[in-house]
Amino acid sequence: MSKPLVVDIHTHVYPPSYMAMLRARKTVPYIHDPEQGEPRLIILSSDDDPAIPIDQRGRPVDSSYSDINVKLTFMQQHGIDSSVISLANPWLDFLDPSEAQEWARRINDDLEETCASVNLSGNPDQKLPLKGRSSLFAFAVLPLSAPSPDIIVEEIKRLRSLPHVRGVIMGTSGLGNGLDDEKLGPVWAALEETQLLLFLHPHYGLPNEAFGGAEVTARYGHVLPLALGFPLETTIAVTRMLLSRVFDKFPRLQLLLAHSGGTLPFLAGRIESCIMHERNFVKNGGNVPGPQRSIWEILKTNIFLDAVVYGVAGLKAAVTVGGATDRLMFGTDHPFFPPLTEGEKDWLSVTTNYKAIEETFKDENETVAAVLGGNAARILSLE
């Protein structure tokens, strides 16, 4: 079998302008430049504990976060033909409302320019094969802290003029009150109208108290907030969307969930059972409308999952709830989880994903090819 097309739909970039913005800040999120050693990115509140020396807070950031040539080298080393780049958390959620629109335009234009400069000729009208060359597309960022949802809608509609944009990325806080916030209605409507895919990515995790307090969290580094907090954050956010009837009101809204949907594939049956038995909902004698569509239907029609779950069991759950393999897409989460040994070229976080896909779909070459790149090329119209 010839090498299949490989598309990485979960890969992040901090444009230089964004890095400069973070360096100018002194509160989370910010970048600390020590006198010696690598700069440190502090994006979680748990990282900003005064008890932790500032030169040890957060995580080190090197050129892989912002240098697109490093990204391209990474792609070539790991056999990746095309990447859909996106700004990583914390996006623009923290900006003053007066700055949100300007920065969203600036970042999105930077992403578009980067994609155009890398892709051969940068001409969207020229049909070029994805396989065998390094090409880039992008998920844009939204000005969610803007003073009015109308500004967010304006940017969503402007994105249609950017040839390499294939969707948007956002976190789970929405406008600051979660994704069941009624004020997000115009945003959902605009995404539904434009059919831009929404890449939903966690950021805030769970409070330190959920893991036993700040001391416990600090003791184990990022294991608890990233391994457990992030997946549960995604699960809670999507469930709140379901309960508030977002998917009933906007049935054509399309979401891509990071990290294979968190714990949603495993807990879908339990969520559905609790909904069926909830006395607060009208159908059971209460006064809350409650969702009309089942979570099983939504997982098969409104939700796509990435394959960033690092194991066979997780991938099998993701495929089961989606009803088929055509809603699952490969990702790396680059530049996070790099090798710990200096000089090591293969990223364990990437090779583990490759291995899990191969083991999950043994002897199913067409399925492997679809998950690695065919699904993304079709869903995101990359060719």
Side-chain angles (χ1 to χ4, degrees), residues 11 40 42 118-119 130 162 216 234 245 275 277 353 364:
T11 180
R40 310 283 298 191
I42 294 87
V118 168
N119 294 354
L130 289 175
L162 303 183
V216 174
T234 299
R245 303 184 62 229
I275 290 173
H277 293 86
N353 276 348
E364 299 178 42

Side-chain angles (χ1 to χ4, degrees), residues 117-260:
S117 66
V118 168
N119 294 354
L120 294 177
S121 81
N123 183 355
D125 296 325
Q126 185 175 347
K127 302 301 182 183
L128 298 166
L130 289 175
K131 190 174 177 182
R133 67 183 180 94
S134 296
S135 59
L136 299 180
F137 298 87
F139 291 132
V141 68
L142 297 178
L144 292 176
S145 65
S148 167
D150 292 341
I151 295 175
I152 306 171
V153 170
E154 180 182 337
E155 180 62 11
I156 291 173
K157 293 184 177 180
R158 188 185 77 91
L159 295 175
R160 290 185 294 187
S161 67
L162 303 183
H164 297 94
V165 169
R166 290 298 186 271
V168 300
I169 185 170
M170 65 183 287
T172 61
S173 65
L175 305 180
N177 295 310
L179 301 186
D180 54 353
D181 184 354
E182 291 186 359
K183 293 180 180 178
L184 278 167
V187 176
W188 303 142
L191 290 172
E192 189 178 52
E193 177 189 344
T194 58
Q195 279 299 281
L196 285 172
L197 184 67
L198 168 61
F199 182 21
L200 184 63
H201 194 293
H203 168 56
Y204 298 97
L206 299 179
N208 284 332
E209 290 72 23
F211 308 116
E215 181 181 347
V216 174
T217 304
R219 183 188 312 158
Y220 302 119
H222 284 151
V223 174
L224 291 171
L226 294 187
L228 303 181
F230 271 26
L232 286 169
E233 178 185 342
T234 299
T235 304
I236 293 168
V238 176
T239 304
R240 286 174 64 177
M241 292 178 71
L242 170 70
L243 295 175
S244 64
R245 303 184 62 229
V246 169
F247 298 107
D248 295 334
K249 299 170 187 175
F250 306 97
R252 295 189 303 115
L253 183 65
Q254 300 291 297
L255 274 66
L256 167 63
L257 304 185
H259 316 127
S260 290

Side-chain angles (χ1 to χ4, degrees), residues 41 59 90 102 126 233 240 243 269-270 317 319:
L41 172 64
R59 63 177 71 219
E102 178 184 352
Q126 185 175 347
E233 178 185 342
R240 286 174 64 177
L243 295 175
R270 183 173 179 83
V319 170

